[in-house]
Each structure stands twice: as structure tokens, then as C-alpha cells.
């Protein structure tokens, strides 16, 4: 379970100095507000008595009013600064933990939900330290006012205290009833944001299908719940304000009534009655804490949601280094990955010799992309180990790990101000000459040069097709290629000619190393040195494509993946692989009946 107070305490520590300034200035402002009624009352008495000493007290009134105004202005300025710093800290912390965690842990948050947690929820949670300081600083004024009432006249203080328990009951009910409605309201907000982001991402599909109205209904489906909880929040707040609005004037009126009687009896002066009325108003200001309490309740509910990001466990790394000039030999030993109690990879033992091109094939759901994630340590296996050139990936220094293990994905994301920066960025920044060479190898250089600003075109302004985007993803991977390069369905949107060009570039133009290719096309398996056949999270067989092709079950994989495949030559006439096939590689056949040649 996430630590609910973690974000609140962390934000308070991050802005401790500013929060302390808010508290001290608020307390000083409360002190000025306590001095003012006594000074005004004393000034009035001296003026009524025509006493020449009223000048000092009048000056004190001016000083108290000026101090209160200036201190309140300073509190507003520092509060805004502290809230902004705390918000930035929470957002940066949440984003950092999200990116440091393995992708599957972050994937449980939808993009819209994630945006809501990092924006609105982080802002509300970040306000808690200043709100708590302001709440604490708001208490001395009512407490001091009650003490002042006792000092002016005992009966005025008793008149006020008689109604105080009712006011405290109103505050308690407000705090209790607000918590649940605020939490439900924030969840409904997040649900709408998630659905909206999904709809925006699939806008073309929605338009093509003519389902705009249906999609609007789906996005707004949580709106009734949002309405119910919003109305419930305002009803709770309205009841508290209404009750407080009735009680506080009644308390002040009671004090004035008792004070008037005491004035008539000569027990207090006119100035003391004026001071008592002002102190009664200050003491009744304890009801204003409802606003602070409401803000704290919202902050606490928001902190629960923010904490789920801050509590994501980071993927741990070591400090070891890979041997220099290693060939990129990849070994998986007893790898097991479980998700939601279901094993997605089980008992995977595999060795891919350095410099080999290995294609991973299997039906949908066989665990191909998960194997790719484990092989490059985008995720951690629940059991077993992954070694690169004899060094466990968990022990490798993270900078070297990302320099030596590269990825290209089916739907790459480009970040940076320009396409050139997007391709150059990575664990280490590469030169633009290297970027252009990689783009040529990936078949991307020609269309990038045709863009309005070439490599200086912002990614968001480049009209890219799916295949062009994939080629840019491949170019980035080629520019940063290390001893192990993993292509997770990275050529699925390429035409046959471009795919063949990319394969030649992998063999001739890109840094030599091991290639792990998640294959959905028969051509990728045909041209690989080695094929890894996955079935239901287990390795069914490992060997050259020409041998595996003899198995009807293996051929059925491609019949499923490619409903209308091009005619395939017999294995003995298949296209040669880009490199000599690695003889002596161990093969694993799960079913003896399916061994090649039987």
C-alpha cells in the first residue's frame, strides 16, 4: 500500500524554509490583529476622556494595521512560491519514479490517469504544507481573542464559550463528510481524463468508423458520478458554511449583549466594549478553519493518488561493467515472469552466441515482447537471471547498460526540439554525422531531407507515415547501436524493399553485435541465423529456420501471422541469411514428435 503521508511530508521538507516563513508571518499577522482591538478601544476611551495620551495609541493602531496588511501580502507571495516549488517537486518525483520503474509497472496507469495524477492531484497535494502552516498560524488569533475577552470581562468570555462546542461540532462533521466525496470526485475526474486521452489517440479511427457520438458518450460516461460527488461536496461545504454563518454572528451578538449589560452596570468602558466586540469576531474566526480543513482533506485525497506514483519501485542497477569488446553473448537462465498470478514466461533457458541474428517467433500472446523486455532489462524476471557477455544485467552500471543494449519498437516515440535531436539523444549524445549515416542505413535520410526544415524540423510538425516513423526509430537505434540490439516488431510497417534494405544495413553498416528480432513476418525468420520458437511462454525449439520449417506446427505460426503470405520457397532454396549460420548452436525441442525430419 502506498504511504499516504509520504508526498505531504516530502513536499513539506522540500519547501520547509518557505513554509516556516509563511507560518511566522501568519503568526505575526495574528499578533497584529490581536493588538489592534485593544489599541482601538484604548484610543476611543482616551479620546472620549479628552486625554492627550491618545496619540501614542493612535500611532499603534496605524502600525498594527500596516503590519497586518504587509504581512498578509508577504504570506500570499511566499505561499504561492512554496506551493509552486512543492508542486514541481511532486511532479518531478512522480515522473522520475515512473520512468525509473520497469515499463509494465507504469503501464497500469493509463495516460489520462497519469496526467491527472501529475497535474491536478500533484497541485492539490502540494498545497498541504502551506495550508497546514496557515491552519496552525490561524489558531493563535482565536485563542488570544478568548484570553483577551477574559481579561476585559469574565462574562463576555463565558458568553462566547457557551456556543463554541456547537461550532467545533460543525467543523468535525465537515471534515468527516468531505473526505469520501473528494476521493470519489478525483477518481471520476481521472476516469474522464483517461477516456479522453484514449479517444484523442484514436481520433482517426473514430472518424473513419463514424462512432463519434458513441465515443463522446463513452468519454462522458463517468460524468454523472462526477456530478453526484461534486454536488455532494458542495452540499457538505454549504452546510458547514451556513451553520458557521449562523453560529458566528450569534456568538458575536451574545458577547455584545452581555458586554452592553456590563457597560450599563459600569463594569466595562465603551472602548472595552468595542474591543470585546472585535475580539469576539476574532474568536469566532475559528470557524474559518473550515476552509483550511477542506483544503487539507483535498490534499490528503490527492496525496493518496500521487503516492502511488512515488511508491513505484525503481529498477535497481549495479556498478559492474561489461568486458571490453565483448561479442554480445546473451544468456537467459531459468527465467520466469509472472503477471497477475499467471506465468507469462516459464523456465526459459537460452543462449544466443555473440554476433548472431536471432528471430523470436510465436503466436500472439506467446511472450515474444516480454522476452525482448527481459533480454534488455526493461523489466526484471521474477526468477532466473539474464547475462550479457557473462555479466548479469542486474549488476551492470545503468549508463553502460543503455549504451550497449539498444531497442527499436513498432511505435517509436520521438522527443526533442528537432528530428536531429530526437535521433541523437540517448544514453550518450551522438554526432549529427552519425545520425545522418544511421538515417541513411534505415532508409530515412531521403524523406527527412524533404521535410520543410530537414533534420531541424520539430517532430510534431513532421507529417510522418507509420513506416516513416518506424524508420526514424530504427535510425535512432542504429545511431546508438551497442553489442546487443533488440528490434521489437520494429519493421512491421515497412514495405518489403525497405525491410530488405534495413536487413542489409544491419549486416553491413551498423555496429556489429548480437541482434534479437521479434519477428511477425516469415521473411525475418528466413533471414535470421537462429530462430527461437516460443509457445505459451516456453521455448518450443531453437534452431535454423530451414530445420524448424520441417515442423507443420512451426509452419502454422506463419499461416496465422500472415493470412496471405507470399509463396515461400522450399527450405533448401530459401534466401541465405545475412551471416553464416552458427553451427553447433543447441536446439531445444519440446515435443519429440515435432523434431525436424520426423
Amino acid at each position: 500500500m502506498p504511504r499516504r503521508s509520504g508526498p505531504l511530508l516530502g513536499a513539506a521538507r522540500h519547501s520547509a524554509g518557505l513554509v516556516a516563513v509563511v507560518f511566522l508571518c501568519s503568526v505575526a499577522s495574528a499578533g497584529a490583529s490581536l493588538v489592534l482591538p485593544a489599541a482601538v478601544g484604548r484610543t476611543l476611551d482616551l479620546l472620549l476622556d479628552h486625554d492627550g495620551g491618545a496619540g501614542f495609541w493612535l500611532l499603534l493602531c496605524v502600525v498594527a494595521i500596516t503590519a497586518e496588511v504587509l504581512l498578509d501580502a508577504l504570506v500570499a507571495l511566499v505561499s504561492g512560491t512554496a506551493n509552486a516549488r512543492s508542486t514541481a517537486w511532486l511532479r518531478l518525483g512522480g515522473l522520475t519514479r515512473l520512468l525509473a520503474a520497469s515499463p509494465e509497472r507504469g503501464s497500469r496507469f493509463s495516460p489520462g490517469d497519469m496526467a491527472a495524477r501529475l497535474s491536478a492531484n500533484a497541485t492539490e497535494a502540494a498545497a498541504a504544507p502551506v495550508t497546514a502552516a496557515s491552519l496552525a498560524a490561524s489558531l493563535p488569533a482565536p485563542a488570544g481573542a478568548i484570553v483577551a475577552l477574559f481579561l476585559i470581562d469574565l462574562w463576555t468570555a463565558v458568553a462566547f464559550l457557551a456556543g463554541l462546542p456547537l461550532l467545533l461540532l460543525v467543523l468535525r462533521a465537515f471534515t468527516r463528510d468531505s473526505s469520501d466525496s473528494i476521493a470519489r470526485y478525483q477518481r471520476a475526474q481521472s476516469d474522464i481524463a483517461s477516456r479522453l486521452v484514449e479517444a484523442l489517440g484514436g481520433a482517426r479511427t473514430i472518424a473513419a468508423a463514424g462512432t463519434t457520438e458513441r465515443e463522446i458518450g463513452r468519454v462522458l460516461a463517468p460524468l454523472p458520478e462526477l456530478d453526484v460527488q461534486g454536488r455532494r461536496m458542495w452540499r457538505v461545504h454549504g452546510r458547514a458554511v451556513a451553520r458557521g454563518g449562523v453560529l458566528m454572528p450569534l456568538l458575536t451578538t451574545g458577547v455584545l449583549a452581555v458586554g452592553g449589560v456590563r457597560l450599563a452596570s459600569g463594569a466595562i468602558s465603551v472602548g472595552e466594549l468595542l474591543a470585546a466586540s472585535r475580539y469576539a469576531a476574532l474568536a469566532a474566526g475559528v470557524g474559518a478553519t473550515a476552509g483550511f480543513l477542506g483544503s487539507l482533506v483535498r490534499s490528503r485525497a490527492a496525496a493518496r493518488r500521487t503516492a502511488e506514483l512515488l511508491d513505484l519501485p525503481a529498477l535497481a542497477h549495479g556498478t559492474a561493467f561489461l568486458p571490453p569488446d565483448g561479442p554480445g553473448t546473451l544468456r537467459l537462465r531459468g527465467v520466469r515472469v509472472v503477471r497477475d498470478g499467471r506465468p507469462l514466461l516459464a523456465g526459459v533457458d537460452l543462449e544466443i552466441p555473440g554476433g548472431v541474428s536471432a528471430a523470436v517467433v510465436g503466436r500472439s500472446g506467446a511472450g515474444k515482447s516480454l522476452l525482448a523486455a527481459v533480454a534488455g532489462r526493461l523489466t526484471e524476471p521474477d526468477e532466473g537471471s539474464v547475462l550479457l557477455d557473462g555479466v548479469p544485467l542486474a549488476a551492470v552500471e545503468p549508463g553502460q547498460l543503455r549504451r550497449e543494449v539498444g531497442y527499436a519498437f513498432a511505435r517509436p516515440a520521438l522527443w526533442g526540439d528537432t528530428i536531429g535531436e530526437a535521433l541523437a539523444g540517448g544514453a550518450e549524445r551522438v554526432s549529427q554525422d552519425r545520425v545522418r549515416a544511421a538515417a541513411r542505413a534505415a532508409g530515412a535520410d531521403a524523406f527527412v531531407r524533404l521535410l520543410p526544415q530537414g533534420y531541424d524540423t520539430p517532430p510534431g510538425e513532421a507529417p510522418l507515415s507509420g513506416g516513416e516513423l518506424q524508420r526514424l526509430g530504427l535510425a535512432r537505434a542504429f545511431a546508438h547501436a551497442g553489442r546487443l540490439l533488440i528490434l521489437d516488431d520494429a519493421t512491421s510497417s515497412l514495405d518489403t524493399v525497405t525491410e530488405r534494405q534495413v536487413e542489409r544495413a544491419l549486416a553491413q553498416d551498423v555496429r556489429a553485435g548480437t541482434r534479437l528480432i521479434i519477428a511477425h513476418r516469415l521473411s525475418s525468420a528466413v533471414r535470421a541465423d537462429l530462430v527461437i520458437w516460443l509457445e505459451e511462454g516456453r521455448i518450443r525449439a531453437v534452431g535454423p529456420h530451414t530445420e524448424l520449417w520441417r515442423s507443420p506446427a512451426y509452419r502454422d505460426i506463419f499461416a496465422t501471422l500472415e493470412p496471405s503470405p507470399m509463396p515461400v520457397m522450399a527450405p533448401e532454396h530459401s534466401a541465405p541469411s545475412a551471416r553464416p549460420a552458427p553451427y553447433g548452436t543447441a536446439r531445444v525441442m519440446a515435443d519429440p514428435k515435432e523434431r525436424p525430419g520426423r
Side-chain angles (χ1 to χ4, degrees), residues 183-228:
R184 291 174 181 269
Y185 185 86
Q186 290 174 345
R187 284 197 295 270
Q189 270 186 322
S190 178
D191 196 7
I192 290 176
S194 298
R195 294 169 185 236
L196 178 60
V197 170
E198 291 171 0
L200 292 175
R204 289 192 299 176
T205 301
I206 293 168
T211 57
T212 302
E213 293 299 323
R214 187 189 309 166
E215 193 62 21
I216 290 174
R218 187 187 72 85
V219 171
L220 298 181
L223 197 58
E225 174 68 7
L226 190 74
D227 177 67
V228 168

Side-chain angles (χ1 to χ4, degrees), residues 420-460:
E421 289 184 9
L423 301 186
E428 62 179 356
R429 189 176 183 81
V430 299
S431 68
Q432 286 301 310
D433 289 340
R434 188 167 167 183
V435 164
R436 285 172 170 78
R440 286 192 294 272
D445 181 70
F447 72 78
V448 171
R449 289 181 180 277
L450 293 176
L451 293 173
Q453 302 174 59
Y455 284 89
D456 293 328
T457 304

Side-chain angles (χ1 to χ4, degrees), residues 104 107 335-348 360 363-374 379-383 534-539:
E104 86 279 352
S107 64
V335 167
R336 176 182 172 86
V337 179
V338 179
R339 297 288 183 267
D340 298 324
R342 175 170 166 257
L344 301 185
L345 290 178
V348 174
V360 182
R363 299 182 189 277
S364 177
K368 301 185 295 295
S369 290
L370 184 56
L371 179 65
V374 169
T379 190
E380 187 83 336
D382 296 289
E383 296 178 15
L534 274 185
E535 189 172 274
E536 296 182 350
R538 297 178 181 274
I539 293 181

Side-chain angles (χ1 to χ4, degrees), residues 8 11 20 41 96 112 116 122 143 181 186 201-202 237 239 268 326 335 337 368 420-421 469 476 486 556 564 589 593:
L8 303 184
T96 301
S181 61
Q186 290 174 345
H237 183 74
R239 284 198 298 266
I268 60 175
V335 167
V337 179
K368 301 185 295 295
E421 289 184 9
L469 185 61
R476 181 172 57 196
I486 301 172
D556 285 346
S564 301
M589 302 297 290
K593 296 179 182 179

Side-chain angles (χ1 to χ4, degrees), residues 293-471:
L293 290 174
S295 179
L296 283 176
V297 170
R298 287 194 298 273
S299 295
R300 186 170 180 268
R304 293 192 191 104
R305 295 174 53 77
T306 309
E308 293 182 10
L309 293 180
L310 294 173
D311 286 348
L312 284 174
L315 195 62
H317 295 280
T319 58
F321 285 89
L322 297 171
D325 302 322
T329 301
L330 180 67
R331 292 187 179 89
L332 283 75
R333 296 176 176 171
V335 167
R336 176 182 172 86
V337 179
V338 179
R339 297 288 183 267
D340 298 324
R342 175 170 166 257
L344 301 185
L345 290 178
V348 174
D349 289 293
L350 177 67
E351 179 173 343
I352 302 175
V356 163
S357 172
V360 182
V361 304
R363 299 182 189 277
S364 177
K368 301 185 295 295
S369 290
L370 184 56
L371 179 65
V374 169
R377 201 157 188 267
L378 288 183
T379 190
E380 187 83 336
D382 296 289
E383 296 178 15
S385 60
V386 182
L387 297 89
L388 183 60
D389 288 331
V391 181
L393 290 185
V396 178
E397 191 271 333
Q400 191 193 32
L401 176 65
R402 291 303 155 217
R403 287 192 298 271
E404 294 293 345
V405 180
Y407 273 91
F409 299 100
R411 291 183 294 276
L414 301 178
W415 63 90
D417 295 331
T418 67
I419 287 180
E421 289 184 9
L423 301 186
E428 62 179 356
R429 189 176 183 81
V430 299
S431 68
Q432 286 301 310
D433 289 340
R434 188 167 167 183
V435 164
R436 285 172 170 78
R440 286 192 294 272
D445 181 70
F447 72 78
V448 171
R449 289 181 180 277
L450 293 176
L451 293 173
Q453 302 174 59
Y455 284 89
D456 293 328
T457 304
E461 298 178 11
L464 300 173
S465 68
E468 289 171 337
L469 185 61
Q470 277 197 347
R471 278 182 271 175

